[in-house]
């Protein structure tokens, strides 16, 4: 097992995460991917932890920086962390055992406990209630996961190309999850795998909201049937009237249409059916057709 930690200009948070990871009884290989941080602080922090590998990128490529970490890793399974998250002892070995026992499983996503009071992350609550049928794997079958709290089968992750550089950050897991499912892989949410998340105060919430909205549109246009993609776009247009940041997201999404149309591959019907089941669960009273 390797752990890939993505960081950018947060040396204090990175140091705390590395303290936890290097103390794990599993003793995983740890690879830090630095997304072009300013100054030498990140390098100085990593130097305090002998054996931790550092990949320094020449530009901040967002979530796609994890791809470089996966390429550097030499183990069949790779766990992801952000610089403000870390795995609970025992979770990595359990994740590896699950991937060993279920050869069609590409991703296991863990339960994220937020802050010192250990609140369940809302995305985990949603995955725990996944409406997808049990396929004989561990936990709950899902069609999504959390990038900073997941363990992937390295070969499957690389097979689908990893995280798209154009997305930067926000919702990048959605496209990877869909592509994995389309390729015949399975994904699962397993509550016994635990990740702690103490969110950094160094974050731009407005930018993140804009990127999440833009990337959701791109994912719909890249992989969903035209009718569904148009419905997602119509909802985004309604939201843009009320919230200017969503209007910016819509404009950015439209600007990316030439790339989207070149890269568009509509998912198989079975994957689309699962996506509709999940959407119906998110919106009570909605239909899945």
């Amino acid at each position: 097992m390797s752990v890939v930690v993505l960081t950018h200009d947060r040396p204090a948070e990175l140091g705390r995460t590395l303290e936890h990871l290097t103390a794990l009884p599993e003793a995983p290989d740890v690879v830090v991917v630095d997304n072009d941080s300013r100054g030498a602080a990140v390098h100085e922090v990593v130097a305090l932890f002998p054996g931790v590998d550092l990949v320094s990128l020449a530009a901040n490529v967002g979530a796609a920086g994890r791809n470089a970490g996966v390429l550097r890793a030499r183990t069949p399974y790779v766990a992801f962390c952000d610089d403000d998250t870390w795995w609970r002892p025992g979770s990595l070995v359990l994740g590896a055992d699950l991937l060993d026992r279920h050869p069609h499983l590409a991703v296991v996503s863990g339960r994220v406990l937020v802050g010192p009071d250990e609140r369940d992350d809302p995305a985990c609550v949603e995955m725990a209630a996944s409406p997808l049928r049990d396929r004989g794997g561990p936990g709950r079958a899902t069609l999504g996961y959390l990038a900073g709290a997941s363990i992937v089968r390295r070969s499957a992750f690389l097979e689908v190309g990893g995280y798209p550089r154009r997305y930067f950050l926000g919702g990048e897991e959605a496209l990877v999850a869909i592509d994995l499912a389309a390729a015949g892989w399975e994904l699962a949410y397993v509550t016994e795998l635990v990740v702690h998340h103490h969110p950094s105060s160094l974050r731009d919430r407005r930018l993140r909201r804009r990127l999440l909205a833009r990337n959701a549109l791109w994912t719909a246009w890249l992989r969903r049937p035209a009718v569904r993609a148009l419905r997602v776009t119509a909802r985004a247009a309604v939201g843009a009237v009320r919230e200017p940041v969503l209007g910016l997201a819509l404009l950015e999404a439209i600007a990316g249409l030439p790339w989207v149309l070149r890269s568009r591959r509509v998912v198989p019907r079975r994957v689309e059916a699962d996506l509709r089941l999940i959407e119906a669960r998110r919106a009570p009273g909605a239909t899945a057709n």
Side-chain angles (χ1 to χ4, degrees):
M1 177 72 71
S2 300
V3 180
V4 169
V5 185
L6 190 66
T7 191
H8 173 71
D9 278 340
R10 300 200 302 206
E13 290 89 338
L14 176 64
R16 178 184 59 191
T17 289
L18 291 180
E19 286 180 1
H20 287 284
L21 294 178
T22 55
L24 289 173
E26 296 98 321
D29 295 339
V30 179
V31 180
V32 172
V33 179
D34 177 29
N35 253 332
D36 193 29
S37 294
R38 295 165 291 184
V42 166
H43 290 252
E44 292 168 355
V45 168
V46 173
L48 298 174
F49 299 90
V52 171
D53 196 3
L54 176 63
V55 178
S56 297
L57 302 183
N60 185 356
V61 298
R66 296 189 183 100
N67 300 345
V70 174
L71 289 170
R72 179 67 65 91
R74 291 294 177 265
T75 54
Y77 310 134
V78 179
F80 290 125
C81 279
D82 292 330
D83 52 21
D84 57 359
T85 66
W86 58 89
W87 290 86
R88 176 176 287 180
S91 291
L92 295 181
V93 70
L94 174 58
D97 287 345
L98 293 175
L99 289 165
D100 278 347
R101 293 203 299 267
H102 301 277
H104 297 295
L105 190 63
V107 181
V108 285
S109 197
R111 181 187 179 197
V112 178
L113 303 179
V114 182
D117 55 346
E118 300 191 342
R119 307 180 311 277
D120 279 307
D121 187 290
C124 294
V125 174
E126 181 176 318
M127 287 190 287
S130 170
L132 301 187
R133 64 180 178 83
D134 180 15
R135 297 178 173 91
R140 296 297 294 260
T142 68
L143 197 45
Y145 64 100
L146 291 174
S150 57
I151 303 171
V152 302
R153 190 180 300 274
R154 183 176 183 270
S155 59
F157 181 83
L158 294 176
E159 175 188 324
V160 299
Y163 294 114
R165 185 163 177 164
R166 288 178 182 267
Y167 275 43
F168 194 63
L169 279 172
E172 65 275 1
E173 312 98 322
L175 185 63
V176 174
I178 289 171
D179 285 348
L180 285 168
W185 292 101
E186 297 173 2
L187 301 87
Y189 170 70
V190 180
T191 58
E192 291 80 9
L193 306 179
V194 177
V195 176
H196 295 278
H197 181 201
H198 287 209
S200 172
S201 59
L202 301 175
R203 53 178 57 203
D204 187 335
R205 297 182 184 279
R206 179 180 172 85
L207 174 63
R208 182 165 179 80
R209 178 156 174 73
R210 190 181 93 215
L211 295 179
L212 280 166
R214 181 199 67 186
N215 294 344
L217 283 166
W218 278 348
T219 297
W221 295 345
L222 283 165
R223 298 292 183 262
R224 308 293 300 274
V227 171
R228 304 302 294 186
L230 287 171
R231 289 182 183 176
V232 172
T233 305
R235 288 197 297 269
V238 171
V241 173
R242 300 192 303 266
E243 195 171 349
V245 69
L246 298 182
L248 288 174
L250 182 58
L251 291 175
E252 288 182 351
I254 292 170
L257 272 178
W259 162 69
V260 167
L261 294 176
R262 289 195 306 272
S263 307
R264 179 172 165 79
R265 299 195 312 272
V266 177
V267 296
R269 289 183 179 179
R270 58 180 174 78
V271 178
E272 176 62 22
D274 284 348
L275 288 168
R276 295 188 188 191
L277 275 176
I278 292 168
E279 289 172 344
R281 171 64 65 90
R282 286 175 183 163
T287 60
N289 53 36

